[in-house]
Amino acid sequence: MRRNSLQLLALSLLCCTALGQEAKKHTCRILFLERPSSAPQTLHLFDGTSSREVELPGLNLSQVYELPPGKLSISLLPVPIANPEDLPPGAPTTAIPEGVADFYLLVTSDPSNNVAPVRMQVIEAGKGSLRRGQMLWINLTDHLVGGQLGSEKLLIKPQSRTTLNPPAKGATDFPVSLAYRIRGDERMYPICETRWLHDPRSRSLAFIFNQREGRAPRILVFPDFRQEEKNDPAD
């Protein structure tokens, strides 16, 4: 009887462990950086089993979208489909690893794609890699960029990413002074000298990218506040 009880207990523990390890859904927000006026404002995101219409905002992050758990291959299409066999050849597609629970989907223009004129890039942003109050800097240029943001120093190499700790304490503004270096030139050229507002409730995405006109890179920062995280302890 004792052996049977122990076996039942072990089975119960295994079941509880399996339930606790149930795969979580992916969550993402979408941004169409420098969206041309002729580009689509919405497309249909196909996750391998179903499609949904998603917004492609250029000046803010989209709403939070949930995707099925596990390893995925997602595509953006002009019309919805329900079967992978109907996926048009050449459709903009990217892979989502199973371990990436939360991510940003960076969309950029690709007029050469005849299915949908865009390309996609996945930016991982789980709580473990980007906490509230921190800033994820993404340098899409060939310039080294550096400077001071509040209490934190920034130095980010070309075509790279770095995470910056909160530049201030509490909800307040902080001084920003940034400059860039052209490859082959040792001088630093100014980008901006201003003040930004720090929101300790939000994690932030900061993109450095080339302007269509002018030599100096452009910087855009997108705060990401999630209502469900407002009561989480600050990191």
Side-chain angles (χ1 to χ4, degrees):
M1 181 67 70
R2 178 180 176 82
R3 180 178 297 177
N4 290 339
S5 298
L6 290 174
Q7 289 174 340
L8 288 173
L9 178 60
L11 182 60
S12 299
L13 290 173
L14 286 173
C15 291
C16 290
T17 301
L19 289 173
Q21 294 177 348
E22 183 179 355
K24 294 182 178 180
K25 293 182 177 180
H26 300 282
T27 56
C28 80
R29 300 186 80 168
I30 303 173
L31 171 68
F32 196 154
L33 191 63
E34 280 217 299
R35 182 168 62 84
S37 58
S38 59
Q41 297 189 14
T42 62
L43 284 172
H44 293 269
L45 190 152
F46 178 63
D47 60 25
T49 57
S50 63
S51 296
R52 76 181 71 187
E53 188 178 56
V54 294
E55 57 181 327
L56 305 174
L59 296 178
N60 56 275
L61 297 171
S62 73
Q63 68 182 68
V64 179
Y65 294 106
E66 286 192 351
L67 298 174
K71 184 178 179 181
L72 294 179
S73 178
I74 62 174
S75 305
L76 287 175
L77 305 166
V79 295
I81 64 172
N83 192 321
E85 295 179 356
D86 297 328
L87 185 66
T93 301
T94 191
I96 310 298
E98 184 176 0
V100 177
D102 184 32
F103 64 94
Y104 299 101
L105 191 63
L106 177 63
V107 178
T108 52
S109 180
D110 183 9
S112 66
N113 194 307
N114 296 322
V115 179
V118 298
R119 63 171 59 95
M120 296 182 287
Q121 181 179 344
V122 175
I123 300 171
E124 185 175 357
K127 289 183 181 179
S129 58
L130 183 62
R131 301 189 297 272
R132 292 184 300 120
Q134 289 185 323
M135 304 179 74
L136 176 59
W137 282 81
I138 302 159
N139 188 354
L140 301 174
T141 76
D142 291 327
H143 307 308
L144 177 113
V145 175
Q148 190 77 28
L149 293 97
S151 60
E152 299 297 314
K153 289 186 180 296
L154 174 70
L155 186 64
I156 180 169
K157 296 180 180 179
Q159 303 294 333
S160 66
R161 306 176 188 180
T162 189
T163 300
L164 203 68
N165 286 327
K169 293 183 178 180
T172 184
D173 61 356
F174 59 94
V176 176
S177 179
L178 296 172
Y180 72 103
R181 178 185 294 165
I182 299 172
R183 183 169 293 177
D185 189 340
E186 293 302 315
R187 290 172 294 179
M188 295 294 288
Y189 297 91
I191 299 176
C192 65
E193 190 166 347
T194 183
R195 299 186 74 88
W196 290 349
L197 180 65
H198 174 60
D199 182 359
R201 307 170 305 166
S202 303
R203 53 194 187 185
S204 298
L205 282 179
F207 290 96
I208 306 168
F209 57 98
N210 294 314
Q211 302 189 74
R212 294 191 181 97
E213 298 179 359
R215 185 177 67 172
R218 186 181 179 189
I219 296 175
L220 287 178
V221 181
F222 300 88
D224 181 5
F225 171 67
R226 309 279 179 107
Q227 185 69 31
E228 65 272 17
E229 295 179 356
K230 68 178 182 178
N231 293 323
D232 287 354
D235 294 308

